[in-house]
Amino acid sequence: MVIRLKPGAYEEYKRLHQNVPPDVLQTAHEHGIRNQTIFYRDGYLFRYFEYVGNDFEKDMAALAPSTSAVRQRWWELTSPLQQPLDTCGPGEWWAEMEEAFHGD
Amino acid sequence: MVIRLKPGAYEEYKRLHQNVPPDVLQTAHEHGIRNQTIFYRDGYLFRYFEYVGNDFEKDMAALAPSTSAVRQRWWELTSPLQQPLDTCGPGEWWAEMEEAFHGD
């Protein structure tokens, strides 16, 4: 997934991610998210993770900001720093990318 | 790592990656590259892999285009489709990104 950061927002974004609320991390794990990394360069964030569950839509819905006060607060801290791509559809925030290649 | 594709180049890039030369894949594996995925959206390619060796610089040097005819040919097919970021340094092609977060 990819998203932009607003100009000058990276230091704050990185600082926040040094102390992600434990509840946010734990519930992500419970809903099948593994090996997650967020990378940055030149105003772009790229988010990579692997999903090990069996109902991706349901698990992602369970991680929506509205599902807990802690997640809502985390959203209120991080989302103002972000700027979705112009090509995002309605309701899309992080933009899904297409897999062009995979090898191991 | 991140790089741009030239306008209209994605279909050709994707087509080429459906048949990566076996020698390119095998030597990448021999030099410690695992779980590699290349993602695309809106003119940007993001490349993710995990490195399991113990001398990253040496292994990457061993995978340079000039080290084999097959890799040189692969480079000649793929690199004209790509456009490095404006912030790349001398000799940089794929731009390395900074890790802002990792969790598991």
Side-chain angles (χ1 to χ4, degrees):
Chain A
M1 298 171 160
V2 59
I3 202 166
R4 290 171 297 183
L5 279 181
K6 291 179 183 167
Y10 179 53
E11 289 308 316
E12 174 68 1
Y13 188 86
K14 194 164 67 167
R15 190 187 66 76
L16 287 168
H17 280 77
Q18 287 166 0
N19 289 290
V20 181
D23 182 62
V24 170
L25 297 177
Q26 185 186 324
T27 50
H29 187 90
E30 288 169 4
H31 288 281
I33 291 180
R34 298 289 186 280
N35 194 23
Q36 179 168 203
T37 311
I38 297 175
F39 299 92
Y40 173 83
R41 177 140 177 173
D42 294 7
Y44 282 80
L45 291 174
F46 177 83
R47 182 183 179 195
Y48 174 93
F49 63 81
E50 291 158 13
Y51 174 69
V52 299
N54 51 37
D55 189 337
F56 184 73
E57 298 298 326
K58 188 175 173 185
D59 277 314
M60 293 308 107
L63 295 171
S66 60
T67 56
S68 85
V70 171
R71 254 193 298 284
Q72 184 66 36
R73 176 70 181 139
W74 180 245
W75 168 258
E76 287 165 5
L77 288 170
T78 56
S79 64
L81 306 175
Q82 299 172 321
Q83 173 81 46
L85 299 191
D86 298 335
T87 58
C88 276
E92 196 176 21
W93 190 255
W94 283 90
E96 291 196 25
M97 302 182 82
E98 180 175 315
E99 183 175 305
F101 172 77
H102 180 74
D104 203 30
Chain B
M1 299 172 158
V2 59
I3 202 165
R4 289 171 297 183
L5 279 182
K6 292 179 183 167
Y10 179 53
E11 289 308 316
E12 173 67 359
Y13 188 86
K14 194 164 67 167
R15 190 188 66 75
L16 287 168
H17 281 76
Q18 287 166 1
N19 289 291
V20 181
D23 183 63
V24 169
L25 297 177
Q26 185 186 326
T27 50
H29 186 90
E30 287 168 4
H31 288 281
I33 291 180
R34 299 287 186 282
N35 194 24
Q36 180 169 202
T37 311
I38 297 174
F39 299 93
Y40 173 83
R41 177 138 179 175
D42 293 7
Y44 283 80
L45 290 174
F46 177 83
R47 182 183 179 195
Y48 173 94
F49 63 81
E50 291 158 14
Y51 174 68
V52 299
N54 50 36
D55 190 337
F56 184 73
E57 298 299 326
K58 188 175 173 185
D59 277 315
M60 293 309 107
L63 296 171
S66 60
T67 56
S68 85
V70 171
R71 255 194 298 284
Q72 183 67 37
R73 174 71 182 139
W74 180 243
W75 168 257
E76 287 165 4
L77 288 171
T78 56
S79 64
L81 306 176
Q82 299 171 321
Q83 173 79 46
L85 299 191
D86 297 335
T87 57
C88 277
E92 196 176 21
W93 190 256
W94 283 91
E96 291 196 25
M97 302 183 83
E98 180 175 316
E99 183 176 304
F101 172 78
H102 180 73
D104 204 31

